Amino acid sequence: MRFLNWIDCGVIGLYFAILITIGRILQKRATSSMDNYFLGGRRVPWWLLGVSGMAAWLDMTGTMVITSFLFMMGPRGLFVEFRGGAGLVLIFLLLWQGKWHRRSGCMTQAEWMIFRFGSGTAGNIARLMAVISTMVFNMGLLIYSFFGGGLFLSMFLPWQPWVCMLILLIVTIIYTAEAGFLGVVVTDLFQMLIVVFAAIFIAVMALTKLQGYEGTLSDLAQQVTGNLNWTSSLPSLHTEMPAGYEQFSGLLFVTLFYLAKTIIQGLGVGGEPKYFGARSDRECGLLSFLCGWLMSIRWFLMIGFVILGLFLVQEQFQDKGVLARTTELIKAEVKEADARQWSSIISELMNHPDRFSPELIAGIENELGPDWANKISLVSFEGTTNTERILPAVLLSYVPMGVRGLILVALLAAAMSTFNSFINMTTAFFTKDIYQNYIRPQASNRQLMYVSYIFGVVFVGVSFLLAFTIRNINDIWEWITMGLAGGLIVPLFLRLFWWRFNGGGFFVGTLVGLTASILVRIYAQDMPGWQQFILTTVIGVGGSIIGTYYSKPTEQSVLETFYRKTRPLGLWGPLRQVLNEDQRRRTRKEHWNDLLASPFAFFWGVTILLIPMQLMIGTYRAAAITAGILALSLIGLYWFWYRHLPQVDLLSAEIENTRE
């Protein structure tokens, strides 16, 4: 292999072998019951669930996308990723959503629909729609992850991106299907340790490179990116953006819009296996808190790649015109080339130049030099720097062979920990909520395991095939976080905050929102993300309201049981009488403490991601201010949140005893 030596290949092979071995070892325990398979028997320690949450959110493709924005914008790229990549929904999981879902005692979010809307027609159609919408959403995330993983690996392995995607797919299916949720969290711990090593190594490399540089990082970034305020940490009214990314130039307004979207979305999340599998309300909060701190490691890793990327682009493309000329040479020979095929064409050129005409290779070498194979990955379809490939290009050019295999494994760990979480969650939905509930209620545990295996294979297979429809990583990420999220966000929000909202409202609202987002994807791919979000959200609101008032209210007994166990915030006035006065007082106090803690949680969530970047790029005054904000945030979180976390949920037990 041209870009990996035998040590690198051995490290990657050993990594895959360890994952499969873990799956085999845990198989017997994981498959002893459905509860063990999908939730680890609800006995997994909170810290391990927190590690698993961090690993699930730290995906390879997302890391490449965020690195791309940090390269173009500096630390301010964080604010673009308020749309989904910054993980701000953790704030709501930490304070409210995690514990509200855990209190239900359910196994999946679809099963939770019966708990919320009852076991009649309304509850069952809501449950079915929850399964369908979650499968579509997770499929979108898998498509996005497969595409990015294939794009990444094709720069190092002598195969096209689809072959690399297939390898990731097969290995992930093997160990996820065998060991279920328990296998997911154990392998996530192993993979998190590898990511920590990679972050330290890349950060040290970047700082060493900066120390040997005679100029300033600000000047270097301006020369390479054209961004005049690259080192700034504040969202400005306007920032310079390259062609194709103009919609992000009004950064302040983009930030505010994405923040509003994240708040609405965050108030509807929580139906994740780790929260259903947590042992107490306290553990729901602690695992989210730990997950947030661990996520900051990712930002050390990404800004390290960005710093090295600035040096790399400056060294390789002092004349930016060579990028456009090289693109024209390739398009002149491969006349059918389009944006969707570009990554495969570049991979072929890097690994199999003999498959192209000698004239093309000679022309590329004339433009890029004799080491053109190490440079061409950064040539985009538009004839500019392909910022989505900054991360793998740095790995290819700066990290020495031998160590390169270890860093590759760390990024593979990020990809596969994301794959396994999506696969485990989706197979749980299908097996528990469709097959066992509607098709074969009396199925044995062994039969349910086989159904999980088969569905998992089919699900990832379809996702794999659909990955070929993507133009670039940001294209699919924009649709998932804006168009698709907007179509699903309203019913998920209303189910927790409005007593009158019912199963009919959830079914109609989700159906029309999901349909609208899919139609946008098919017929209006070039629609800006903010327009996608507004359009699909408005349609979701209309469908939810119409469905709610054109169907019967949820039965009073179902609502009382739901409110008694969950005790959510919001428009629940008619249900509050199910609690006695003392219980209502304590519930109000819990709500007020969580509300007062929310601004502190927000600034905590932002500052722990911003400080690593400020320290790495040397803006120490800004880092000191951010550290002060972080300190105040932690004090507020301690006073309003942490010291009120119960060791045991005595109020829930008391309410249940009162009912009896």
Side-chain angles (χ1 to χ4, degrees), residues 241-250:
M241 296 299 293
Y245 293 91
E246 295 90 348
Q247 63 173 305
F248 302 104
S249 59

Side-chain angles (χ1 to χ4, degrees), residues 415-473:
M416 298 179 74
S417 61
T418 305
F419 297 168
N420 63 28
S421 297
F422 296 150
I423 295 168
N424 177 260
M425 184 189 303
T426 312
T427 53
F429 278 159
F430 179 82
T431 305
K432 179 77 175 174
D433 297 295
I434 292 184
Y435 186 80
Q436 188 178 33
N437 190 55
Y438 296 111
I439 300 174
R440 197 165 185 179
Q442 303 304 318
S444 66
N445 189 64
R446 177 181 291 274
Q447 290 171 334
L448 294 175
M449 291 298 111
Y450 284 136
V451 169
S452 296
Y453 298 158
I454 294 169
F455 176 76
V457 171
V458 172
F459 178 72
V460 296
V462 173
S463 303
F464 170 78
L465 293 175
L466 291 177
F468 293 97
T469 65
I470 298 175
R471 290 180 293 184
N472 56 63
I473 302 173

Side-chain angles (χ1 to χ4, degrees), residues 122-171:
N124 277 289
I125 61 174
R127 181 178 190 171
L128 181 62
M129 187 50 62
V131 173
I132 294 171
S133 61
T134 303
M135 286 169 60
V136 172
F137 191 82
N138 286 351
M139 181 174 288
L141 290 170
L142 270 184
I143 292 168
Y144 151 82
S145 299
F146 281 148
F147 181 84
L151 190 71
F152 177 86
L153 285 179
S154 66
M155 292 182 61
F156 302 93
L157 302 176
W159 304 304
Q160 291 193 13
W162 74 268
V163 179
C164 299
M165 283 192 281
L166 187 61
I167 294 171
L168 290 176
L169 183 154
I170 292 171
V171 175

Side-chain angles (χ1 to χ4, degrees), residues 20 30 35 40 91 98 122 195 262 286 313 390 397 426 443 452 465-466 489 571 583 616 629 660:
I20 294 172
D35 197 56
I91 296 167
V195 171
T262 299
L286 292 177
V313 173
I390 288 294
S397 300
T426 312
S452 296
L465 293 175
L466 291 177
I489 202 170
L571 303 176
Q583 292 164 351
M616 288 286 291
I629 297 172
E660 293 172 2

